[in-house]
Amino acid sequence: MEERLQKYMAECGVGSRRRCEEIIKEGRVKVNGATVTEMGFKVDPGKDIVEYAGKVLKNTQPATTVLLNKPAGFVTTARDQFGRPDVTQLVRMNGVRLYPVGRLDYQTTGLLLLTNDGELAYKLTHPAHQIDKVYRALVRGEIKLEAIRRLEEGVTLEEGVVTSPAKVKLLGIKGGNSTIEITIHEGRNHQVRRMAEAVGYPVLRLRRIQEGPLKLGNVKEGEYRVLSDKEVEALKKLG
């Protein structure tokens, strides 16, 4: 059965489907000895020979997805110019290489999915699929109702982009600072931090506690659990 080249590469553990698309565009993939740069190119895994980085790709890894409680001090990118540790170092599974789905910035903690399932990674990161993500944020200052209303309606970021409406709950005010719960479905870089800054309440601590139906639950910081087939299927049906 034929499938798109980038999907097959993701299933072989090369990276997310989006990352595989970039690799194809860069002319680093060969199919049956010929370089391929076309996004719509299809391969038959049972017949075609796909090469990347001088090796023939084979899908021998079991499809695996884990929910990690990311600590601060780890990046979610494969390459970091400062040599900081990345989240894949926290998930050690023999014979299985996993990749982060989306990003959490260096200081943000909480729920992060890692997978070698290209279909799932594509589903969760594609802009067309609006999947709710819930964050708990400690912000500086006693937040006013007007600021909450602005967050709920959407705020203008520094580059002129207006965010989609968010759901916001005030959880409490203590020591002159506020704790809020904010739900968004977009994935702009540092979005929650930038939204809070835009309304005058900078984030002091930020933790993601839910993505779609998945909740962080009792997974301890720095630890992870493997998702069940039922949970993976539920994620694939979102959007």
Side-chain angles (χ1 to χ4, degrees):
M1 182 182 295
E2 289 190 338
E3 59 182 312
R4 290 183 181 272
L5 176 57
Q6 60 266 38
K7 181 175 184 290
Y8 176 66
M9 290 173 62
E11 291 169 349
C12 290
V14 174
S16 68
R17 195 183 301 192
R18 190 168 296 177
R19 175 58 185 149
C20 290
E21 290 175 352
E22 293 172 355
I23 292 171
I24 294 168
K25 288 178 183 177
E26 292 166 1
R28 299 164 61 191
V29 182
K30 291 183 179 180
V31 178
N32 301 326
T35 299
V36 173
T37 57
E38 178 188 344
M39 283 302 101
F41 194 89
K42 292 186 177 182
V43 295
D44 184 337
K47 298 179 181 179
D48 295 320
I49 298 174
V50 180
E51 296 176 80
Y52 166 64
K55 296 181 180 179
V56 176
L57 298 182
K58 292 183 180 180
N59 186 10
T60 58
Q61 296 185 29
T64 304
T65 303
V66 304
L67 183 159
L68 170 71
N69 186 346
K70 175 193 173 297
F74 286 80
V75 297
T76 53
T77 52
R79 302 169 186 169
D80 180 63
Q81 60 177 324
F82 303 110
R84 296 173 295 186
D86 72 86
V87 291
T88 61
Q89 297 172 27
L90 298 169
V91 182
R92 301 293 188 182
M93 304 183 74
N94 290 335
V96 178
R97 187 175 182 184
L98 303 178
Y99 298 87
V101 180
R103 295 182 179 182
L104 286 181
D105 67 50
Y106 186 63
Q107 291 298 340
T108 299
T109 65
L111 192 158
L112 179 70
L113 298 178
L114 292 93
T115 190
N116 59 2
D117 186 331
E119 179 186 353
L120 178 62
Y122 179 79
K123 180 77 173 182
L124 294 177
T125 57
H126 196 282
H129 302 137
Q130 298 184 352
I131 297 168
D132 282 348
K133 302 177 184 69
V134 185
Y135 297 81
R136 189 159 292 173
L138 175 68
V139 300
R140 181 180 292 124
E142 297 185 5
I143 194 167
K144 305 299 183 184
L145 291 178
E146 171 62 19
I148 291 176
R149 183 190 62 78
R150 288 177 61 196
L151 291 171
E152 291 176 330
E153 293 180 351
V155 298
T156 303
L157 302 180
E158 60 268 24
E159 69 270 32
V161 173
V162 179
T163 64
S164 294
K167 298 175 184 176
V168 183
K169 295 179 183 177
L170 175 60
L171 300 181
I173 296 176
K174 184 178 181 181
N177 298 320
S178 309
T179 300
I180 62 172
E181 186 175 285
I182 180 168
T183 302
I184 62 173
H185 61 255
E186 297 172 296
R188 302 183 189 281
N189 198 29
H190 304 296
Q191 181 166 338
V192 173
R193 293 182 184 276
R194 293 163 69 202
M195 289 174 69
E197 183 80 36
V199 297
Y201 297 88
V203 169
L204 301 175
R205 285 201 304 271
L206 184 64
R207 179 163 59 112
R208 184 154 69 193
I209 60 173
Q210 185 172 346
E211 182 168 357
L214 293 178
K215 296 182 179 181
L216 192 57
N218 58 3
V219 178
K220 295 180 180 179
E221 197 166 287
E223 297 185 357
Y224 65 91
R225 69 174 181 86
V226 178
L227 297 191
S228 67
D229 291 343
K230 185 177 181 180
E231 288 175 314
V232 172
E233 287 306 310
L235 289 173
K236 289 182 177 179
K237 291 177 181 176
L238 293 175

